């Protein structure tokens, strides 16, 4: 039961992020909503690696065979954080440029392309 | 095989060296380094393509080869892959070679296309190249995702390169937001499949899912959901309807040399992602659902081909027209893939090669027009291209090639696609391919007649422009611009006469789709049954001639009767492509929901 509750948190975070991206009227807000969406993958990955009663996966001074959480997903999550930071930096730079060009952060004002 | 990692390492080293030293060296050095790296990569990938025929080549990073782990509860008695590997097969290597070749063409064309360009441009190109090669060659799911993201980020930056203008900002924003949302779905899917199998190596994931079949004969909801998420995420990049909206915006504003990379290889990489993940990981597990999956993908393919062709027909902006034609042709490529047979995959592989060459050439033609006439809107430039005789001639040939006229390589792909459809008794679907090829080719030919000959009535805007001083750039077109333009079209012909290409593609596709042999190579499981190699169907030139003739007829008619161009009846479709990123993401969510829902709950 607790398990399902935890996984539904990941789904919930993904959905509110999506809702924000779809309805956003401010580019900074939009980029941050995208970041919220990506946060859902951190929650999901951490949950997948979780073992009840496991310790941190630092194998230097614990006896062999001790129950530990899965280190692989933690590595995945860290890599994902780096990848996401790159995307966010680029998108925020675009948002700054948009504000410089149009004086507005509303994606509706950035209408050069249609059809 | 020490060459395998070099395809990623060399461009990255070149990019790093340029980023550090580029500001103090002359501009041509940057171009030269990028050209050299891309040419080297192309050579390596062609070699790998040849060397990996028949059996995959594997490179384990850091020497972390698969080992026995008797205590784990995973598949017993087999090796467990714990390291990260590059798995080279002919189809992936050929796609990487196409990407490297297009990067070469982009650098050559950019040589005198840009008046001023920073060294960042070449750095981003090389990063894109490294990511392309890595994506095509890797055998690890998460690695696939990371290279995908590296490719995406460099593509976002390249798309918005002229960031001081409003259009590129909007195009890059739409491109980046939709594709990042897609990437989140991919990662979620990968996380779910890791949760089920405890593996990231694709062969290992496939072996584990197959072993699970013994316990549960039908794939569970988790496996189906994971596949749906990964496929939809890659479909965003592959511009499958309804995920296609970003593509036209990104192509319309990206610098022209970048458009050939986007259309020629990046979009196809999205499709490759779906194919690779399906055949390496999910093919065995999803066998009971194969029929349902085939219908779903075919539906999406037909929709993509037809909507793309319609939208291309409605455009007068040359780059947007070509972008929508790419969407339409992606539909045809997806159709080959959707059959889930080796023949279909081989047809798509041939089509990707031919389309990459032809579409690259057409985009470069649009680039020359933009460079000379300072615009790409056919309605405004009506008849102004008369002095550019040779550019126009190559452009017209490109239009015929897009319609699939033999001896261009697009015709070979189309023939093989029809044979693959016939094999499954779906021959009627070839009509979709005929319509898509004829309409997109017709749209290109119509632009040719209006732009380079001045046929038809000029629009009011163009008549107004005539009075003003023409702002055509004087002087000849530099050879370094014209050479890749004509060269890519010639490549489109040369591929047809490449000895043994259709056979090679079919054998490569058989190798690609035989997941058992793939796992044997990697994990030394039981040897696969030897497969008889099939022979490709015969060439049928009448198909290409028919569709090129239709394209010509459509072009002539629409020049004569301007109402056919759809200024009035096309409005609802224009409004659909609103340019607003929120709408695009709504469509994306709808698409994922419908695909996953149908895959999970469609009755048999």
């Amino acid at each position: 039961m607790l398990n399902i509750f935890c996984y539904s948190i990941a789904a919930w975070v993904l959905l509110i992020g999506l809702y924000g991206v779809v309805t956003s009227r401010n580019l900074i807000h939009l980029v941050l909503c995208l970041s919220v969406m990506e946060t859902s993958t951190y929650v999901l990955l951490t949950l997948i690696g979780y073992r009840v009663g496991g310790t941190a996966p630092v194998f230097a001074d614990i006896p062999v065979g001790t129950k530990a959480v899965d280190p692989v997903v933690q590595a995945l999550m860290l890599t994902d954080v780096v990848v996401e930071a790159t995307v966010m930096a680029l998108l925020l730079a675009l948002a700054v440029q948009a504000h410089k060009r149009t004086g507005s952060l509303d994606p509706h004002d950035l209408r050069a392309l249609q059809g | 095989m020490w060459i395998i990692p070099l395809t990623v390492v060399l461009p990255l080293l070149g990019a790093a060296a340029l980023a550090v030293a580029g500001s103090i060296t002359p501009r041509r050095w940057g171009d030269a380094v990028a050209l050299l790296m891309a040419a080297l990569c192309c050579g390596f990938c062609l070699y790998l393509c040849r060397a990996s025929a028949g059996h995959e080549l594997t490179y384990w990073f850091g020497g972390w080869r698969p080992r026995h782990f008797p205590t784990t509860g995973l598949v017993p008695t087999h090796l467990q892959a714990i390291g990260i590997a590059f798995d080279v097969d002919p189809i992936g290597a050929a796609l990487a070679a196409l990407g490297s070749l297009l990067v070469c063409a982009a650098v050559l064309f950019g040589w005198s296309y840009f008046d001023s360009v920073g060294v960042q441009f070449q750095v981003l190109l090389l990063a894109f190249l490294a990511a392309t090669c890595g994506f095509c060659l890797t055998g690890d799911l998460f690695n696939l995702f990371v290279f995908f993201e590296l490719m995406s980020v460099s593509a976002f930056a390249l798309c918005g390169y002229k960031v001081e203008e409003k259009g590129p900002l909007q195009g890059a924003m739409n491109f980046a937001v939709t594709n990042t949302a897609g990437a989140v779905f991919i990662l979620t899917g990968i996380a779910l499949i890791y949760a089920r199998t405890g593996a990231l190596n694709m062969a290992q994931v496939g072996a584990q899912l197959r072993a699970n079949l013994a316990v549960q004969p039908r794939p569970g909801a988790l496996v189906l959901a994971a596949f749906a998420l990964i496929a939809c995420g890659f479909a965003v990049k592959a511009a499958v309807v309804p995920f296609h909206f970003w593509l036209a915006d990104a192509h319309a504003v990206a610098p022209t040399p970048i458009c050939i990379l986007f259309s020629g290889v990046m979009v196809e990489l999205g499709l490759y992602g779906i194919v690779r993940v399906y055949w390496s990981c999910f093919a065995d597990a999803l066998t009971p659902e194969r029929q349902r999956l085939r219908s779903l993908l075919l539906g999406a393919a037909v929709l993509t081909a037809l909507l793309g062709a319609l939208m291309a027909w409605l455009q007068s902006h040359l780059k947007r027209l070509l972008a929508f034609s790419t969407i339409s042709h992606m539909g045809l490529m997806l159709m080959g893939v959707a059959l889930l047979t080796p023949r279909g995959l081989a047809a798509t592989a041939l089509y990707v090669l031919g389309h990459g060459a032809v579409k690259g050439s057409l985009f470069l033609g649009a680039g020359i027009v933009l460079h000379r006439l300072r615009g790409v809107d056919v309605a405004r430039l009506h008849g102004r291209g008369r002095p550019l005789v040779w550019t126009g001639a190559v452009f017209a040939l490109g239009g015929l090639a897009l319609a699939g006229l033999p001896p261009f390589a697009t015709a070979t792909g189309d023939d093989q696609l029809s044979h693959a459809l016939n094999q499954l008794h779906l021959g009627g679907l070839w009509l979709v391919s005929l319509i898509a090829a004829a309409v997109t080719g017709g749209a290109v030919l119509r632009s040719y007649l209006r732009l380079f000959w001045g046929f038809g009535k000029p629009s009011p805007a163009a008549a107004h422009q005539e009075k003003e001083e023409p702002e055509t750039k004087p002087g000849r077109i530099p050879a370094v611009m014209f050479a890749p333009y004509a060269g890519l079209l010639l490549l489109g012909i040369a591929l047809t006469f490449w000895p043994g290409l259709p056979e090679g593609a079919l054998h490569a596709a058989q190798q690609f789709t035989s997941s058992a042999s793939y796992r044997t190579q990697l994990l030394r499981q039981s040897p696969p049954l030897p497969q008889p190699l099939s022979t490709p169907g015969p060439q049928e030139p009448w198909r290409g001639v028919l569709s090129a003739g239709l394209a010509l007829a459509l072009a002539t008619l629409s020049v004569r009767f301007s109402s056919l161009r759809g200024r009035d009846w096309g409005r609802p479709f224009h409004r659909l492509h609103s340019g607003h990123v929120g709408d695009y993401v709504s469509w994306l969510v709808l698409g994922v929901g419908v695909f996953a829902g149908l895959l999970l709950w469609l009755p048999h």
Side-chain angles (χ1 to χ4, degrees), chain B residues 48-143:
Chain B
L48 288 175
C49 181
R50 196 162 267 275
S52 61
H55 62 101
E56 285 86 9
L57 302 171
T58 310
Y59 180 88
W60 293 95
F61 283 92
W64 287 90
R65 296 176 161 280
R67 294 176 195 178
H68 283 288
F69 290 94
T71 54
T72 56
L74 300 171
V75 186
T77 70
H78 294 309
L79 293 167
Q80 303 287 328
I82 45 169
I84 292 175
F86 268 16
D87 268 325
V88 187
D89 76 283
I91 287 192
L95 193 54
L98 176 69
S100 320
L101 188 77
L102 290 177
V103 170
C104 285
V107 174
L108 268 183
F109 190 79
W111 196 279
S112 62
Y113 177 77
F114 293 111
D115 294 327
S116 65
V117 63
V119 73
Q120 304 89 336
F121 186 75
Q122 286 102 8
V123 172
L124 287 169
L125 267 182
L126 285 176
F128 180 87
L129 175 62
T132 302
C133 292
F135 184 79
C136 291
L137 304 184
T138 189
D140 184 276
L141 262 183
F142 190 71
N143 211 225

Side-chain angles (χ1 to χ4, degrees), chain B residues 12-318:
Chain B
L12 281 183
L13 278 181
L18 277 183
V20 173
S23 53
I24 50 170
T25 51
R27 179 193 152 190
R28 293 297 171 214
W29 284 39
D31 283 332
V33 169
L35 195 60
L36 178 72
M37 293 300 164
L40 276 176
C41 270
C42 185
F44 287 159
C45 292
L46 282 178
Y47 169 76
L48 288 175
C49 181
R50 196 162 267 275
S52 61
H55 62 101
E56 285 86 9
L57 302 171
T58 310
Y59 180 88
W60 293 95
F61 283 92
W64 287 90
R65 296 176 161 280
R67 294 176 195 178
H68 283 288
F69 290 94
T71 54
T72 56
L74 300 171
V75 186
T77 70
H78 294 309
L79 293 167
Q80 303 287 328
I82 45 169
I84 292 175
F86 268 16
D87 268 325
V88 187
D89 76 283
I91 287 192
L95 193 54
L98 176 69
S100 320
L101 188 77
L102 290 177
V103 170
C104 285
V107 174
L108 268 183
F109 190 79
W111 196 279
S112 62
Y113 177 77
F114 293 111
D115 294 327
S116 65
V117 63
V119 73
Q120 304 89 336
F121 186 75
Q122 286 102 8
V123 172
L124 287 169
L125 267 182
L126 285 176
F128 180 87
L129 175 62
T132 302
C133 292
F135 184 79
C136 291
L137 304 184
T138 189
D140 184 276
L141 262 183
F142 190 71
N143 211 225
L144 191 79
F145 169 76
V146 172
F147 278 123
F148 186 72
E149 281 291 82
L150 176 61
M151 176 181 72
S152 299
V153 172
S154 30
F156 304 156
L158 284 168
C159 174
Y161 193 75
K162 287 182 272 181
V163 78
E164 59 279 357
E165 292 163 33
K166 221 168 139 184
L169 270 176
Q170 190 194 1
M173 200 67 165
N174 291 353
F175 179 21
V177 171
T178 43
N179 279 264
T180 308
V184 173
F185 287 124
I186 297 180
L187 186 60
T188 309
I190 292 176
L192 291 180
I193 211 67
Y194 177 79
R196 172 53 52 95
T197 61
L200 285 170
N201 183 289
M202 288 197 254
Q204 185 84 58
V205 171
Q208 192 66 41
L209 286 177
R210 187 186 162 83
N212 290 353
L213 279 182
V215 188
Q216 192 187 11
R218 298 194 79 82
L222 185 104
V223 175
L224 284 175
F227 178 73
L229 286 172
I230 295 177
C232 287
F234 282 126
V236 174
K237 185 66 94 190
V240 176
V241 172
F243 310 121
H244 67 287
F245 292 92
W246 63 270
L247 185 136
D249 293 353
H251 278 68
V253 298
T256 310
I258 299 311
C259 289
I260 70 170
L261 292 180
F262 283 9
S263 253
V265 68
M266 185 184 76
V267 195
E268 287 77 359
L269 287 175
L271 201 55
Y272 175 78
I274 300 178
V275 177
R276 181 71 199 246
V277 170
Y278 176 78
W279 287 109
S280 303
C281 305
F282 289 93
D284 290 328
L286 293 186
T287 306
E289 311 290 335
R290 187 168 282 188
Q291 193 55 45
R292 178 198 301 224
L293 187 60
R294 183 179 288 151
S295 332
L296 277 177
L297 290 177
L298 274 179
V302 170
L303 211 58
T304 309
L306 295 182
L307 186 66
L310 175 69
M311 287 307 295
W313 182 255
L314 294 177
Q315 302 299 320
S316 74
H317 185 290
L318 212 48

Side-chain angles (χ1 to χ4, degrees), chain A residues 38 70 80 101 110 112-113 115, chain B residues 164 170 180 187 194 315 577:
Chain A
E38 299 195 338
D70 186 349
D80 187 31
R101 297 304 146 209
L110 206 62
L113 305 163
Chain B
E164 59 279 357
Q170 190 194 1
T180 308
L187 186 60
Y194 177 79
Q315 302 299 320
H577 296 74

Side-chain angles (χ1 to χ4, degrees), chain B residues 442-594:
Chain B
V444 171
L445 289 173
R446 181 190 71 201
S447 314
Y448 164 72
L449 291 176
R450 284 164 60 73
L451 177 62
F452 293 96
W453 288 92
F455 283 133
K457 257 189 272 170
S459 68
H464 178 66
Q465 284 247 322
E466 288 280 316
K467 293 180 198 125
E468 296 170 15
E469 195 68 18
E471 32 183 334
T472 308
K473 202 166 172 171
R476 297 183 48 189
I477 300 167
V480 77
M481 269 169 102
F482 201 80
Y485 174 41
L488 278 178
L489 194 70
L490 285 178
L491 177 71
I493 300 178
L495 283 171
T496 306
F497 298 105
W498 197 296
L501 190 65
E503 291 82 10
L506 188 55
H507 298 169
Q510 283 188 311
Q511 183 182 344
F512 194 93
T513 52
S514 124
S515 39
S517 92
Y518 174 64
R519 284 200 288 276
T520 314
Q521 297 281 331
L522 220 69
L523 305 173
R524 303 209 189 82
Q525 290 196 332
S526 57
L529 301 170
Q531 283 187 334
L533 293 175
S534 344
T535 47
Q539 304 275 1
E540 290 173 338
W542 63 268
R543 293 178 192 272
V545 173
L546 175 64
S547 91
L550 264 180
L552 262 178
L554 280 173
T556 325
L557 280 176
S558 72
V559 166
R560 177 74 187 73
F561 306 102
S562 60
S563 64
L564 275 179
R565 292 203 292 273
R567 183 153 296 208
D568 306 314
W569 54 265
R571 278 215 188 97
F573 297 100
H574 282 301
R575 268 205 294 279
L576 191 66
H577 296 74
S578 61
H580 185 253
V581 67
D583 298 351
Y584 294 3
V585 178
S586 319
W587 281 107
L588 196 158
V589 176
L590 182 74
V592 175
V594 168

